[in-house]
Amino acid sequence: MHYLNRYWVGLVLILAISCFLQLMPDWHQQLTFHSETVMSQGWPLITTHFIHLNWTHALFNFAGLALIVVIWREYWNTRWLVNALLLSSAATSLILWLLPFTVIFVGLSGVLHGLLGYCLIKDIKAGKKWMWLIVIALIGKVVVELLGWQPDHFVGQHVSVIHAAGLLTALLLYKLERRRISDAVPHKD
């Protein structure tokens, strides 16, 4: 059973769920994040990150997730990968819900920014100081996107905000890693 805790099991599980949901286009409207209705439904806070505009969009996001998980495999096990993905998904969605304009989106790219940022923070804390260059490049990319530069493959007007919200979740992931819910409850001695 120990092999079930390896990083690749979590990756396969996440990709399988995403592929299954992508094969159910009739469900997409109910699973999509729409900032005006998301809180009355709840589930789109998470589910929107597991569906995509089309298979090309899905495959690019799947490749990004696989690269992050495989390159930084020492930071992942099944439990933490699934937890990190769910935490980043919910936090990204909550940040987008708080914005003063309507956001409608699907896809994993915001969460990928959070997972990548988390891995870079872990590398820096592990002594790989040169990773600051990649952090600065990633933040610079997101800032430039927020200022209006968007490649042709971006679909939708709020992709840059989604990436920025996802990147912010890297700090949350770093803060919450390896914490247990029971640690948040004060113990009487």
Side-chain angles (χ1 to χ4, degrees), residues 1-67:
M1 292 297 267
H2 179 66
Y3 69 90
L4 291 178
N5 200 27
R6 299 209 176 130
Y7 72 92
W8 59 268
V9 175
L11 178 61
V12 169
L13 177 67
I14 292 164
L15 294 176
I17 291 169
S18 293
C19 285
F20 172 76
L21 291 175
Q22 195 63 27
L23 290 168
M24 301 298 173
D26 294 340
W27 297 3
H28 287 196
Q29 185 175 353
Q30 291 79 29
L31 302 177
T32 298
F33 179 96
H34 190 295
S35 56
E36 293 178 2
T37 60
V38 70
M39 292 313 237
S40 64
Q41 297 169 326
W43 59 84
L45 291 168
I46 303 291
T47 59
T48 197
H49 302 281
F50 289 92
I51 58 174
H52 296 84
L53 297 170
N54 54 44
W55 278 102
T56 302
H57 182 220
L59 292 173
F60 274 108
N61 278 279
F62 296 167
L65 178 63
L67 284 171

Side-chain angles (χ1 to χ4, degrees), residues 84-134:
L85 190 120
L86 294 174
L87 283 167
S88 184
S89 294
T92 299
S93 293
L94 287 171
I95 292 167
L96 295 170
W97 175 70
L98 291 170
L99 295 176
F101 50 86
T102 301
V103 177
I104 302 168
F105 81 97
V106 296
L108 195 59
S109 63
V111 172
L112 293 178
H113 280 71
L115 297 178
L116 177 58
Y118 161 78
C119 291
L120 294 172
I121 291 169
K122 291 284 290 181
D123 275 351
I124 291 167
K125 293 294 185 178
K128 298 176 185 174
K129 300 298 182 195
W130 61 273
M131 285 294 188
W132 273 110
L133 296 173
I134 298 174

Side-chain angles (χ1 to χ4, degrees), residues 68 71-77 80 84 113-132 134-135 138 169-179:
I68 290 168
I71 291 171
W72 286 280
R73 62 186 164 272
E74 70 269 17
Y75 300 142
W76 304 113
N77 60 39
W80 178 233
H113 280 71
L115 297 178
L116 177 58
Y118 161 78
C119 291
L120 294 172
I121 291 169
K122 291 284 290 181
D123 275 351
I124 291 167
K125 293 294 185 178
K128 298 176 185 174
K129 300 298 182 195
W130 61 273
M131 285 294 188
W132 273 110
I134 298 174
V135 169
L138 181 60
T169 69
L171 299 171
L172 176 71
L173 294 178
Y174 182 73
K175 182 72 175 159
L176 293 179
E177 79 171 325
R178 310 227 189 282
R179 301 284 196 288

